[in-house]
Amino acid sequence: MNTKLNVKQWAIASLAVFVIMTIFTYIPTKLELAPWAAAVGTPITGDSDMMNRMFFYLARLISAALFTLIFAKGAEGKPGMGEGIRYGLLIGMFSYLPGFFQNFAMGTWAADAVIVFTLVGIVQFVCCGAVMNQLYKPGKA
């Protein structure tokens, strides 16, 4: 396990993950997922004020930094993108499956919305993991 953090690589990878997370925020509203997005609401579309948007982006930035930090501290340094993809898949499932299924169980979201948003969320983290794995190389200064 790598314990020495390369701050420059971590910062670059965190920014890349932030950009990917931000792009994936708009996917449900910009693609054919608009009916589901309207049903569940998306955080930074519509008439949200500037303060709400700022906190939303701050939350995404913190999530990206922590996502990358956890990987950097535990990466095995195996070649290829497999490690990043596996990490992204696990974090995506950890992040999205419980919450969306709780919303479904409480009857606040329809089953099709749960499936769509869960898949989009997991794919988001898989993409983040793959990109981050290419940008953060454990043990390299």
Side-chain angles (χ1 to χ4, degrees):
M1 182 182 296
N2 182 34
T3 57
K4 183 151 174 67
L5 180 68
N6 182 321
V7 177
K8 182 179 177 182
Q9 285 183 5
W10 169 76
I12 291 168
S14 293
L15 286 174
V17 169
F18 170 76
V19 168
I20 293 168
M21 288 178 167
T22 302
I23 290 168
F24 269 87
T25 299
Y26 290 101
I27 287 177
T29 56
K30 300 300 180 193
L31 297 177
E32 295 299 319
L33 306 178
W36 290 298
V40 299
T42 53
I44 61 168
T45 58
D47 296 328
S48 63
D49 62 26
M50 185 58 78
M51 186 64 84
N52 288 344
R53 288 175 186 253
M54 182 186 71
F55 281 116
F56 177 82
Y57 286 117
L58 179 62
R60 283 286 187 200
L61 188 59
I62 292 168
S63 294
L66 291 174
F67 177 83
T68 307
L69 181 64
I70 293 168
F71 178 82
K73 289 296 190 176
E76 297 172 354
K78 294 180 180 177
M81 293 177 59
E83 187 173 14
I85 290 171
R86 280 189 305 278
Y87 173 74
L89 180 63
L90 291 172
I91 294 294
M93 290 189 305
F94 175 77
S95 298
Y96 282 93
L97 287 176
F100 283 128
F101 285 107
Q102 287 170 357
N103 281 313
F104 175 69
M106 293 185 294
T108 54
W109 290 6
D112 53 353
V114 168
I115 292 167
V116 167
F117 279 92
T118 300
L119 291 176
V120 168
I122 291 171
V123 168
Q124 166 190 286
F125 275 108
V126 168
C127 292
C128 288
V131 168
M132 179 199 51
N133 189 68
Q134 294 305 303
L135 295 174
Y136 189 89
K137 300 295 183 191
K140 292 186 180 178

